[in-house]
Amino acid sequence: MDRLRDQAAQSAVVEQAKGVVMAQTRCTPDAAEEELQRRAETEGHSLLEECWLTLGSLAPAPVHAAPEPDPVVPAATAVPPPEAAADDAGPVDLGPLGRELVRVATSQDLARCLLDHLAPAVDADAVMIYSRLPTGGLELVGHAGVDDTLAAQWQQVPPLSGIAVLDALRAGEPLWLEDVEADRERYLLSDPPERWRSRAWLPVPNGDSPDVCIGVLRSRVGPFSAHIREHLQAVARLCAGRLLAFATRPEDTADPSATAVQAVFDALSGAAMLLAPLSSAPGNIEDYRIDAATEETVDVVGRAGRELLGRRFRECCPALAGEPMWQGLRRTLVTGNPYESEPFGLQELVDGIAELFTYTVQAARLGEKLVVTWVRHSSSDRQEQRLADLQRLGGLGWASWNLVTHEVTWSSQVFALFDRDPAHGPVGLTELPDLALPEDGSALRHAIGELLVEGRTFDVPFRVRRADGLRHLRAVAEAVPDSSGTTVEVHGVIQDLTAQRSAELALVESERAMLTQHDVLRAERTLAGRLQDTLLPLPTMPVRLAGLRVEVAYLPAQSGVHVGGDWFSVLELPDGDAVFVVGDVAGHGLDAVATMALLRFTAKGMVITGSSLTGALARLNTLLLHSRDSHGTATLILARYHPAEHRLVWAQAGHPPPLLVRDGEARFLERPRGMLLGASPAPVYAEAECRLEPGDRVILYTDGLVERPAEGIDRGLQRLSDAVLTQHTQGPDSLPLGPLLASMLEGEHRDDVCVLDIRAPLEPAVARERARRQPVP
């Protein structure tokens, strides 16, 4: 309850501060709250601190004659701020004090609150709060840490010279008394002066002429540090908003008949006020004074009835002082025509909880004043509409069955769910299964029987057939027993689950389709893999032909369920020449394997029958373009080695270049012209030539060896060159392709990889010399 009361009080402070901002800037309530938030963030305050500071900036109209001007306070009394003491801290944190101020109800409470806050913060021993009287003197309105005898002696202070608090109020600036011996010569100090060795008098900001001054008295000797001065002045500014509620005096009602008018308002019911306009210039109404109010009229801080008399309308009801209503009140005052506002929402605290209500304001002229009333509309219609919207949007409705009176009540949404005419009325609990499909009615009937006999709550899905098709519903019900445990009433909810059930069925069908497709793909992979093994047998060890040593490696992709179209071919021709082919068919699966077989065997046949390399590539391109059994495009590299001249002649169709390793250096051969197969009906292919020397190494490969996601092909080619050089320096004649592939294919590779490693053997004398130079392990 304390927490809820604090929340209610804090909310009232925020609402009142919003009203001040609205009055100052003529903005909307939402814009006023945003402005308060912006100010708090800019100044480093909490929202509550900023609200207190904003309330303190609202200066009421003068309520007394200005006192005779007194001599200006001598400059000696305004001690210049000393240098920051060693105990200075960071920025002032007034958040705890701001929260405590919402519990303060009187000036005396404020003095105690300030002493509790300032005692540990600034070593304060006492706090005194003075308010200026209309006669120019002072009245002690709150004190803490001061005994009652001394408080009674200083309760009233006449407007004399030599009074420190009066000088502080006249100058409007803080007065710091830090040297008792020097201060007692200038001012009349409260007895005993030695008890409080340093004192501060802080005018509370409130317009041009402050009316309240807070005194902080310390037994500590020495000046107030810069940080403590900043702290105390911030406390004074923060208290201005709280003091505005109880430290100022309500204005006297000018109308002598005010007592009689208030007696009439005391007898009225509802919320009503009698407002007198306050104008700074003819035709310019700045605010209204409350001259009478009913007991049901309550302002934002909880004051009601007669407590509001003499106060300002903007101060008490800031949320009602919006621009449209303000203009309406002015028109009624000028023309005499009654005013009625449009309904508007207003948040109020009910038992500590903020609730939104709808109001209408009415105003009528009474002489030179206005009688303003406001009516809070019943929320039953709005709540009923909200309940109907909730049921419609949620696809559910409520029902109740009274087993004693046999009364059945359904909400309108239940009739819609069953597609039942409301004119036919609801059905009884035992008749509810008859509305379901026959195959679902038995389960619902069994659940209802257990609820009636054993009082067991049920939750049963069932289906109904409506004009728009089959619907999936759900019934949830619970029993309400009497004192003997006998069920006398049943409360239930009917919910439409058609969309949810449709989604579940679609998900099941999707899962079944995925499993079926997965099985088909698995079978296809198995078949393609077997076909590939049959068409592309891999040698188990390096082969020698035309005086060269050739090693072959093939690695299928590790991701996906398809096999690829990478392939190779190595053969020795009748004339002693050797042919090397490496190709890559676009795509995966059976089609790619079929195209691979077509290209592999066709290329072999063309080379064996004497076709040139470029001629073979042109015919293979035509084959891919016009064959129904072909699949897309392919890249290919075709090489022929003449052992007599140690000459390697090669041509390519959109394939990565061969890598030549010689004398510890690696370079990629410059590719001759040639685009990939199946891309153009008239491609141009050319040949290139390379003479192999003893110890040379030529590597033919497919793109799966050098390609990685999010990496350029140049980077992949550089990695291949570096990896080959590393292995070549460690012994090129003994290391297989395995370590090379392992260094190139880190982790999972997504494409097939095919590699031909062709090596020209060293002459015996050179081989022996290189072996001699190898370091002994």
Side-chain angles (χ1 to χ4, degrees):
M1 291 302 296
D2 290 341
R3 180 176 58 84
L4 291 176
R5 292 190 186 99
D6 289 346
Q7 290 178 353
Q10 292 179 20
S11 178
V13 173
V14 172
E15 290 300 320
Q16 192 171 7
K18 286 168 57 178
V20 172
V21 175
M22 290 166 59
Q24 293 173 342
T25 64
R26 297 182 179 273
C27 64
T28 64
D30 290 341
E33 186 169 1
E34 293 176 0
E35 174 65 15
L36 288 171
Q37 291 280 8
R38 186 193 64 78
R39 293 179 185 176
E41 293 175 1
T42 302
E43 300 297 331
H45 300 153
S46 67
L47 178 61
L48 194 57
E49 286 181 74
E50 188 59 39
C51 289
W52 284 124
L53 295 173
T54 301
L55 291 174
S57 67
L58 182 65
V63 297
H64 53 75
E68 293 295 328
D70 287 300
V72 178
V73 180
T77 63
V79 181
E83 296 296 327
D87 59 346
D88 286 355
V92 178
D93 180 14
L94 298 180
L97 177 60
R99 291 188 292 272
E100 290 297 326
L101 288 180
V102 300
R103 301 189 180 96
V104 172
T106 64
S107 299
Q108 189 64 27
D109 293 340
L110 177 60
R112 297 191 188 100
C113 177
L114 290 178
L115 183 59
D116 292 340
H117 174 77
L118 296 177
V122 301
D123 295 332
D125 296 291
V127 171
M128 304 177 75
I129 302 177
Y130 277 99
S131 176
R132 196 199 305 261
L133 295 172
T135 58
L138 298 176
E139 179 183 7
L140 182 65
V141 295
H143 62 86
V146 178
D147 58 76
D148 294 339
T149 301
L150 184 59
Q153 294 172 352
W154 287 84
Q155 181 70 32
Q156 301 286 337
V157 177
L160 303 175
S161 60
I163 305 297
V165 59
L166 274 173
D167 283 354
L169 282 174
R170 290 165 183 158
E173 296 291 339
L175 187 61
W176 313 97
L177 306 182
E178 299 164 325
D179 185 346
V180 174
E181 299 303 326
D183 295 333
R184 67 193 309 171
E185 296 178 1
R186 297 194 302 270
Y187 297 111
L188 177 63
L189 302 181
S190 56
D191 293 331
E194 296 80 8
R195 179 178 178 182
W196 295 303
R197 310 292 295 182
S198 56
R199 315 172 188 215
W201 291 103
L202 309 160
V204 177
N206 195 10
D208 297 332
S209 178
D211 293 328
V212 178
C213 194
I214 298 175
V216 178
L217 294 76
R218 305 190 307 177
S219 59
R220 176 177 173 176
V221 178
F224 293 88
S225 68
H227 177 70
I228 290 179
R229 292 189 179 201
E230 179 186 0
H231 191 139
L232 292 177
Q233 293 181 78
V235 167
R237 290 193 300 270
L238 195 67
C239 291
R242 180 72 278 183
L243 285 165
L244 187 66
F246 48 76
T248 56
R249 299 173 178 274
E251 300 177 28
D252 296 330
T253 304
D255 192 344
S257 62
T259 304
V261 173
Q262 182 58 44
V264 173
F265 272 72
D266 288 339
L268 296 178
S269 61
M273 288 182 178
L274 180 64
L275 302 181
L278 300 176
S279 303
S280 58
N284 182 22
I285 300 176
E286 292 185 345
D287 206 340
Y288 292 89
R289 184 185 65 237
I290 302 175
D291 283 355
T294 62
E295 285 299 321
E296 295 184 31
T297 303
V298 182
D299 72 352
V300 293
V301 294
R303 294 171 297 203
R306 292 177 177 267
E307 295 178 326
L308 302 175
L309 303 186
R311 301 189 180 275
R312 302 295 184 91
F313 181 69
R314 288 188 188 272
E315 171 195 346
C316 298
C317 304
L320 297 180
E323 186 65 23
M325 195 190 77
W326 203 255
Q327 296 298 330
L329 296 181
R330 184 178 181 278
R331 284 195 301 269
T332 298
L333 196 62
V334 173
T335 64
N337 297 326
Y339 165 74
E340 182 173 352
S341 72
E342 295 292 333
F344 61 92
L346 185 63
Q347 196 174 61
E348 289 189 3
L349 294 171
V350 179
D351 296 330
I353 305 298
E355 293 188 10
L356 186 66
F357 294 95
T358 302
Y359 285 86
T360 298
V361 173
Q362 297 175 335
R365 191 172 70 181
L366 180 63
E368 299 300 323
K369 302 181 181 180
L370 290 176
V371 177
V372 178
T373 62
W374 55 93
V375 179
R376 186 170 74 183
H377 299 286
S378 173
S379 61
S380 59
D381 295 339
R382 184 177 56 185
Q383 296 294 343
E384 184 66 27
Q385 183 60 45
R386 287 179 178 176
L387 181 59
D389 292 341
L390 175 65
Q391 294 182 78
R392 176 177 52 82
L393 295 175
L396 55 85
W398 57 267
S400 64
W401 294 270
N402 191 310
L403 305 183
V404 178
T405 63
H406 304 289
E407 181 182 1
V408 181
T409 305
W410 280 7
S411 69
S412 58
Q413 189 63 24
V414 176
F415 286 98
L417 293 177
F418 283 108
D419 197 16
R420 183 178 176 84
D421 189 347
H424 297 158
V427 302
L429 183 61
T430 56
E431 300 170 355
L432 190 63
D434 297 335
L435 301 179
L437 294 183
E439 53 268 33
D440 295 345
S442 58
L444 185 57
R445 188 172 290 105
H446 176 73
I448 292 174
E450 288 188 339
L451 180 139
L452 295 176
V453 175
E454 303 177 10
R456 185 178 301 174
T457 300
F458 69 77
D459 185 343
V460 179
F462 61 95
R463 294 168 295 171
V464 297
R465 190 171 300 279
R466 303 191 328 190
D468 57 353
L470 193 66
R471 308 294 293 183
H472 294 266
L473 303 183
R474 169 195 182 199
V476 182
E478 65 176 0
V480 180
D482 60 8
S483 58
S484 62
T486 303
T487 300
V488 296
E489 193 169 358
V490 176
H491 297 162
V493 173
I494 308 297
Q495 185 178 10
D496 189 353
L497 300 180
T498 303
Q500 177 182 338
R501 184 59 177 162
S502 299
E504 292 174 353
L505 294 176
L507 180 60
V508 171
E509 290 299 325
S510 176
E511 291 176 349
R512 289 176 180 174
M514 290 176 61
L515 291 175
T516 301
Q517 182 67 17
H518 186 270
D519 292 340
V520 171
L521 295 175
R522 185 186 298 276
E524 180 181 336
R525 177 181 175 84
T526 302
L527 177 60
R530 291 176 180 175
L531 179 59
Q532 189 179 50
D533 292 341
T534 302
L535 298 176
L536 192 66
L538 293 175
T540 58
M541 57 186 303
V543 297
R544 295 185 179 274
L545 68 163
L548 301 176
R549 178 181 180 272
V550 182
E551 184 178 352
V552 181
Y554 178 82
L555 293 177
Q558 294 178 331
S559 62
V561 295
H562 293 301
V563 294
D566 290 23
W567 58 282
F568 71 94
S569 185
V570 177
L571 71 153
E572 188 170 0
L573 299 179
D575 60 0
D577 291 354
V579 176
F580 307 101
V581 187
V582 172
D584 185 1
V585 176
H588 297 82
L590 290 175
D591 291 339
V593 173
T595 303
M596 177 268 290
L598 177 65
L599 293 177
R600 185 170 188 265
F601 292 116
T602 304
K604 274 188 177 182
M606 289 180 180
V607 174
I608 291 175
T609 57
S611 294
S612 65
L613 301 182
T614 55
L617 290 177
R619 292 183 179 89
L620 291 175
N621 179 72
T622 303
L623 179 65
L624 279 184
L625 285 173
H626 300 288
S627 175
R628 294 182 179 180
D629 298 329
S630 66
H631 177 75
T633 59
T635 66
L636 187 68
I637 189 167
L638 186 60
R640 183 166 183 165
Y641 178 66
H642 302 278
E645 298 92 7
H646 303 288
R647 189 163 52 92
L648 181 69
V649 181
W650 62 286
Q652 62 87 28
H655 203 83
L659 177 65
L660 173 64
V661 182
R662 176 180 292 170
D663 295 334
E665 296 182 357
R667 66 182 178 89
F668 290 97
L669 300 180
E670 185 176 351
R671 295 194 309 170
R673 293 183 63 183
M675 67 171 57
L676 75 165
L677 303 177
S680 172
V684 177
Y685 297 105
E687 293 182 351
E689 183 178 315
C690 175
R691 186 174 297 276
L692 297 185
E693 298 179 1
D696 283 356
R697 183 180 182 188
V698 178
I699 298 177
L700 309 179
Y701 53 92
T702 56
D703 57 5
L705 182 66
V706 294
E707 287 186 346
R708 286 185 180 179
E711 180 182 86
I713 187 66
D714 292 338
R715 174 59 182 158
L717 294 175
Q718 184 62 45
R719 287 191 296 105
L720 175 60
S721 176
D722 295 342
V724 170
L725 282 179
T726 301
Q727 291 195 357
H728 185 73
T729 58
Q730 296 176 355
D733 296 331
S734 58
L735 289 175
L737 282 175
L740 173 64
L741 297 179
S743 63
M744 288 294 297
L745 306 174
E746 298 176 357
E748 183 181 279
H749 55 279
R750 303 183 180 183
D751 198 2
D752 293 358
V753 177
C754 183
V755 181
L756 286 185
D757 189 356
I758 305 169
R759 308 191 188 193
L762 293 170
E763 295 179 358
V766 177
R768 287 194 299 270
E769 177 62 21
R770 289 193 178 181
R772 187 182 65 80
R773 294 178 181 177
Q774 292 292 327
V776 178

